[in-house]
Amino acid sequence: MNNKPLVISPGMLVLARSATFQCTDGTNHSLYGKLHILAIDFVARTLQFEVTVDQNCGYLGLAPGLPDQ
């Protein structure tokens, strides 16, 4: 587990993982998300990013749509 600050810049992709939790089928999984850093405004102290999230227990892909299997 990495709990240290991460230096980012516009254009970077960052993968994030949630803590492990129990799914409705009884298995334990984490949720994954991909953050695409769009812009950083140091004066306004703001960050713009796009997020792709996997909210399906057990499916690790971040591609759009549902898995084939």
Side-chain angles (χ1 to χ4, degrees):
M1 179 185 299
N2 184 0
N3 292 327
K4 296 181 180 180
L6 175 67
V7 178
I8 58 172
S9 60
M12 285 184 69
L13 293 175
V14 178
L15 178 66
R17 182 183 71 166
S18 73
T20 303
F21 66 96
Q22 190 172 39
C23 295
T24 56
D25 65 358
T27 59
N28 293 321
H29 293 284
S30 296
L31 295 180
Y32 292 85
K34 181 173 63 174
L35 287 73
H36 178 209
I37 310 303
L38 300 175
I40 302 171
D41 186 334
F42 293 100
V43 175
R45 298 178 61 125
T46 60
L47 176 66
Q48 290 183 339
F49 56 90
E50 297 175 311
V51 178
T52 303
V53 178
D54 167 24
Q55 296 181 341
N56 184 358
C57 283
Y59 175 58
L60 303 180
L62 290 172
L66 298 174
D68 294 332
Q69 301 178 16

